[in-house]
Amino acid sequence: MAVKRYCLLFLAGLVVFDGAAAQSQPTLMVEKNRLARLEQSLENKLVAQEDIENELLSYEYKLERARESLDSLHQKYEESRLELDKAQRNHDSSPSLDTQRQLAKAKHSLDMAERGVDSRTRRLKFIQVNHGAMRAKLAEEEHAITQTRARISAQQETVNQVVNAMLAQAEESERRAALAKSAARLDKPELKTATLQEAPKPEVMPDPVPVAVEREVDTELLAYVQREQERLRKLLADKSGENKQTFNSLELRSSGGKRLPFEFLGKNQYRLVTTVDAGRQTYKINSWKFRRTVPAEDDNTRYVFIFDARRPSRPRLVMYPEYALETLN
């Protein structure tokens, strides 16, 4: 039964039965491309989520260190205050140049400790604000991921409905063809020996005109590319810190077996542009593997690959079609 179902589906994809069925194949292609775009969007969101999680871990580490530093300075401030009280009592009980110097020194120590507490308090508040903003950003991304997964589920149902409609058309066409064949056998005319009639020429049906499927402008993809471009611009514009190349050799190996070298941009960012194959792909970069979805309409399209290796234990792979850059520009 399953074999027959797949045969009918194949037949539905090849044969044009009537005006309605003529639209089924491009419709299925459009819906499948929409599904692939949603899967691609989900993958991009998961990459963004991982980046936010890494940033959040960094802020949590900074937050812990800032609290420890502030606690230490509070302790130092309390010690300085006690030293000042002691120096003040010594100077009040027996004033001298020596007790006066000790008192001035204690006042200076307390003043420096107070400044340290104020500075670390401001830094702690700054980190807490950024930490809270990052947590809110992570919550937004998680909500967007949940929504995208729901949209993928709904789009998969749409694809299934189109497939079922094509199957129904194929089954109906098969039934009609069987009835017509049976009726033809029953109505077969007797052969006439006196005169031979010229058999009618079979009607030649024109080939169906291929329907061009227009590529949809994916606003989510454009927004993602714009964010990544801005991130890369700011990162490369930062002249502080080291800018040496971590990997002497960094290659991309696709499912098709092609090996392509990355170009080093700086700040542990690597880039290459190459054509991609449609479908679920596995890209291997040195020892790391990444799974990505390429829509059918992007088959043999040039894609930009950005490998973010700032955290060698958890590198990121960003990829998007080159035409997205052209649209933004």
Side-chain angles (χ1 to χ4, degrees):
M1 192 68 184
V3 174
K4 181 180 179 182
R5 180 180 175 86
Y6 286 119
C7 289
L8 288 172
L9 181 56
F10 177 75
L11 184 63
L14 295 178
V15 182
V16 177
F17 301 108
D18 51 37
Q23 301 298 324
S24 60
Q25 190 174 0
T27 299
L28 180 60
M29 185 182 299
V30 168
E31 298 301 341
K32 281 189 173 181
N33 276 326
R34 285 175 181 165
L35 178 61
R37 287 290 177 206
L38 286 172
E39 291 172 345
Q40 193 178 62
S41 177
L42 176 62
E43 291 160 357
N44 291 340
K45 284 180 171 61
L46 291 173
V47 171
Q49 180 193 34
E50 185 176 355
D51 195 37
I52 295 171
E53 288 173 343
N54 287 332
E55 290 293 331
L56 192 58
L57 285 174
S58 174
Y59 273 108
E60 287 174 352
Y61 175 80
K62 291 177 183 178
L63 195 60
E64 184 180 356
R65 298 285 83 79
R67 284 170 176 162
E68 291 176 353
S69 177
L70 184 58
D71 289 342
S72 175
L73 285 173
H74 271 301
Q75 184 177 355
K76 186 175 181 180
Y77 174 82
E78 186 62 24
E79 292 172 355
S80 298
R81 188 185 65 78
L82 294 175
E83 287 293 328
L84 178 60
D85 289 344
K86 181 180 178 181
Q88 187 68 56
R89 287 195 303 270
N90 290 340
H91 183 66
D92 291 342
S93 62
S94 54
S96 66
L97 290 176
D98 185 55
T99 58
Q100 188 176 3
R101 283 195 299 269
Q102 292 295 327
L103 180 61
K105 183 179 178 181
K107 286 181 178 179
H108 178 71
S109 295
L110 180 63
D111 183 56
M112 294 301 294
E114 187 175 12
R115 290 183 183 181
V117 168
D118 290 341
S119 173
R120 290 299 187 277
T121 300
R122 288 193 300 269
R123 175 172 172 76
L124 178 60
K125 289 181 178 178
F126 175 77
I127 295 173
Q128 286 174 331
V129 169
N130 287 340
H131 180 263
M134 198 62 63
R135 286 180 64 87
K137 190 174 180 181
L138 179 60
E140 289 178 2
E141 199 65 42
E142 288 173 342
H143 179 66
I145 287 172
T146 300
Q147 287 185 320
T148 303
R149 283 190 168 127
R151 291 173 62 191
I152 287 174
S153 179
Q155 185 61 27
Q156 182 62 64
E157 181 60 29
T158 299
V159 171
N160 291 340
Q161 290 174 1
V162 173
V163 169
N164 289 335
M166 293 176 67
L167 283 169
Q169 290 174 354
E171 289 171 353
E172 177 63 19
S173 176
E174 186 184 44
R175 188 184 66 82
R176 290 179 181 176
L179 289 174
K181 187 176 181 180
S182 177
R185 284 199 301 267
L186 293 175
D187 297 339
K188 186 176 181 180
E190 295 181 1
L191 293 176
K192 296 182 181 180
T193 56
T195 58
L196 293 177
Q197 295 182 350
E198 184 179 355
K201 293 182 180 179
E203 183 180 356
V204 179
M205 297 297 292
D207 293 334
V209 179
V211 181
V213 180
E214 184 179 354
R215 176 184 284 140
E216 293 183 356
V217 178
D218 191 336
T219 55
E220 285 192 11
L221 174 63
L222 294 180
Y224 174 76
V225 173
Q226 194 167 26
R227 287 196 306 270
E228 286 299 326
Q229 284 287 296
E230 183 65 17
R231 178 196 67 83
L232 192 61
R233 186 191 65 79
K234 287 182 179 180
L235 185 63
L236 297 180
D238 183 11
K239 302 303 180 183
S240 63
E242 294 185 356
N243 198 28
K244 63 181 181 180
Q245 187 169 345
T246 302
F247 303 99
N248 294 326
S249 176
L250 197 65
E251 286 186 332
L252 170 75
R253 279 181 283 172
S254 64
S255 301
K258 293 185 294 185
R259 302 170 69 98
L260 299 167
F262 278 88
E263 172 194 4
F264 178 63
L265 301 177
K267 298 293 183 180
N268 269 318
Q269 306 296 298
Y270 301 80
R271 182 181 189 270
L272 72 83
V273 181
T274 184
T275 56
V276 296
D277 297 324
R280 189 71 167 154
Q281 303 295 327
T282 299
Y283 297 104
K284 188 173 182 181
I285 301 175
N286 286 16
S287 60
W288 297 283
K289 289 183 179 180
F290 303 89
R291 297 274 289 178
R292 293 293 186 271
T293 301
V294 177
E297 61 183 347
D298 282 356
D299 188 40
N300 204 35
T301 298
R302 284 167 60 86
Y303 262 58
V304 178
F305 291 77
I306 303 293
F307 187 70
D308 181 2
R310 286 175 297 170
R311 296 180 180 86
S313 60
R314 296 182 68 183
R316 299 168 63 239
L317 175 63
V318 175
M319 57 177 287
Y320 46 80
E322 193 177 38
Y323 63 75
L325 291 177
E326 299 169 358
T327 303
L328 288 174
N329 297 332

